[in-house]
Amino acid sequence: MATLAIRDLYKRFGPVEVLKGIDIEARDGEFIALVGPSGCGKSTLLAMIAGLETVTSGQIWIDDRLVNSVAPKDRDIAMVFQSYALYPTMTARQNITFGMESRGVPRAERDQAVRKVAQLLQIEALLNRKPGQLSGGQRQRVAMGRALVRNPKLFLFDEPLSNLDAKLRVDMRTEIKKLHQRVGKTTVYVTHDQVEAMTLASRIAVMHHGSVQQFDVPQRVYSRPANMFVAGFMGSPTMNFLPATLGVRDGDACAEIAADGGTASLPLARRPARVPDSGKVVLGVRPEHLYRYDQDLKARKPTVVPVTASAELVEPTGAETIVALRMGGHDIVGRFDPDAAPQPGETLTLGIDMAHACLFDPDTQLLIADGAA
């Protein structure tokens, strides 16, 4: 197994700066996800780790070895591509063993390695088929088998599930997680799908415009996003953002927001470490932290604060119902249990759970940290 360290990494294509001072470390056996919108630089970063792109400045270390100038074949890595990259005229077995055969690995050793990975990936019955005879999920398993058979220090995945349908993506996501748990190899996984990143990774690097916006464990990236971009990108539906002013009510710090009939004062569950000079903030609330308010909810969740809102659009999805709401002139989205979801046109008392609310600086868009307890 291996560690990976990326230090102050820059990449330029002519005058265009694609990566800007990337600093990421992966511990031995860790699963790191690089996530972000198209064009954020995540695939370029993966290509640089693989040696397929040169480094403009900065360092890439695998274990205690600086690999900036090391050829891809000598980095002891294996890469799984979005397009599978299988040879169409070869069987699955031949695709898996092609690299080993090129390196002169004896036949008996190749056969043993194929048996091992085929059993691990449950593709024993597919070894004599060609890629054209395989489904997308089966081809991706073969591509993973080709990577596994090398027993590399580092696995790199470049959006391996983006060509699959929704159900198969979920199934393959589970298989990749099981695979990582079995083999325990250090893995870097590129995706634009924040659900893949959240479910697979031990830590997530959220990228935007060539920079890492936040690098942390999935739950902290989701619940305490470093800035408004991360807050808006991670989660579907996205976090609600409401302009607010910090104030004091009954001696407690509160966020004052526009609400139907005037202004609502929402007591803060966490006191901010600082207050912008203007007193203005952006209040961030996830859709799942909005509820239909009643006294039973208040007893169970004392940090829930009532406000008035109206339901405009209802989208049943089965296990949950997504509702577009209008509150104080602002559009927000809530995620409700189907039995408690409001109906279109209904005016309701909405409960906002302030225990999970985030405050952002409207000028810098950075999360305002919590103050001392």
Side-chain angles (χ1 to χ4, degrees):
M1 292 195 284
T3 59
L4 171 69
I6 300 168
R7 296 172 183 163
D8 199 26
L9 195 69
Y10 285 81
K11 177 63 180 178
R12 297 181 186 88
F13 292 104
V16 180
E17 197 168 56
V18 178
L19 295 178
K20 307 167 185 177
I22 305 295
D23 285 291
I24 294 174
E25 291 195 7
R27 296 184 285 264
D28 194 11
E30 193 171 17
F31 195 119
I32 299 296
L34 307 178
V35 65
S38 297
C40 71
K42 57 189 185 294
S43 290
T44 300
L45 177 55
L46 196 76
M48 292 171 73
I49 297 170
L52 303 177
E53 287 287 354
T54 58
V55 173
T56 301
S57 65
Q59 298 177 334
I60 300 175
W61 294 80
I62 297 177
D63 285 336
D64 56 355
R65 185 188 187 197
L66 180 64
V67 298
N68 286 33
S69 301
V70 176
K73 66 182 181 63
D74 298 323
R75 296 193 182 195
D76 199 10
I77 60 173
M79 194 163 181
V80 179
F81 297 92
Q82 174 183 353
S83 60
Y84 319 130
L86 300 176
Y87 295 105
T89 59
M90 294 183 181
T91 63
R93 181 191 301 275
Q94 290 169 331
N95 268 283
I96 291 171
T97 61
F98 180 75
M100 300 177 73
E101 189 173 353
S102 300
R103 297 192 303 273
V105 176
R107 174 71 178 269
E109 189 175 334
R110 297 201 306 266
D111 290 344
Q112 183 181 10
V114 169
R115 281 195 300 272
K116 183 178 178 180
V117 299
Q119 185 177 22
L120 186 65
L121 294 168
Q122 300 178 11
I123 56 172
E124 298 100 319
L126 309 178
L127 291 176
N128 293 321
R129 298 186 192 177
K130 293 182 178 179
Q133 299 169 304
L134 303 175
S135 68
Q138 290 170 337
R139 291 180 203 175
Q140 196 56 275
R141 286 173 188 262
V142 173
M144 287 192 288
R146 182 180 54 194
L148 276 170
V149 80
R150 294 187 52 199
N151 192 29
K153 284 185 175 181
L154 195 66
F155 279 114
L156 307 179
F157 287 83
D158 189 9
E159 303 203 42
L161 308 184
S162 59
N163 287 338
L164 306 180
D165 62 58
K167 182 182 184 304
L168 194 51
R169 276 203 306 273
V170 174
D171 293 341
M172 286 301 298
R173 194 170 70 212
T174 302
E175 291 304 316
I176 290 174
K177 187 153 191 170
K178 288 179 181 177
L179 181 63
H180 181 257
Q181 289 173 347
R182 290 180 193 134
V183 302
K185 294 284 186 178
T186 306
T187 300
V188 181
Y189 187 101
V190 163
T191 180
H192 63 273
D193 187 328
Q194 43 90 17
V195 175
E196 278 182 31
M198 290 286 294
T199 54
L200 287 171
S202 50
R203 282 192 293 169
I204 297 173
V206 184
M207 297 183 64
H208 186 47
H209 293 326
S211 298
V212 174
Q213 304 293 305
Q214 187 170 3
F215 183 43
D216 211 332
V217 297
Q219 188 54 44
R220 188 160 179 82
V221 168
Y222 186 78
S223 62
R224 301 299 289 165
N227 55 43
M228 290 177 65
F229 170 78
V230 176
F233 186 81
M234 301 300 291
S236 179
T238 186
M239 179 179 277
N240 296 299
F241 297 116
L242 295 166
T245 303
L246 292 182
V248 176
R249 188 183 73 172
D250 299 331
D252 294 324
C254 64
E256 297 178 346
I257 63 171
D260 293 347
T263 300
S265 295
L266 311 179
L268 299 177
R270 293 187 289 254
R271 184 177 292 273
R274 66 176 183 84
V275 177
D277 293 339
S278 65
K280 304 292 185 183
V281 294
V282 175
L283 177 69
V285 182
R286 294 281 182 197
E288 61 268 26
H289 297 139
L290 301 178
Y291 304 89
R292 183 186 284 277
Y293 185 85
D294 56 32
Q295 291 305 312
D296 179 61
L297 174 68
K298 180 65 177 177
R300 289 186 291 108
K301 294 180 177 291
T303 54
V304 171
V305 182
V307 295
T308 300
S310 58
E312 298 199 331
L313 182 68
V314 176
E315 298 179 327
T317 65
E320 61 188 18
T321 298
I322 307 301
V323 181
L325 300 149
R326 187 78 175 167
M327 184 184 70
H330 297 289
D331 294 318
I332 59 174
V333 176
R335 178 185 280 134
F336 295 85
D337 184 282
D339 295 333
Q343 297 302 309
E346 179 183 349
T347 298
L348 70 152
T349 302
L350 191 69
I352 300 177
D353 192 350
M354 295 299 289
H356 299 282
C358 297
L359 295 179
F360 299 94
D361 187 313
D363 296 323
T364 66
Q365 298 199 348
L366 297 176
L367 178 72
I368 298 174
D370 302 334

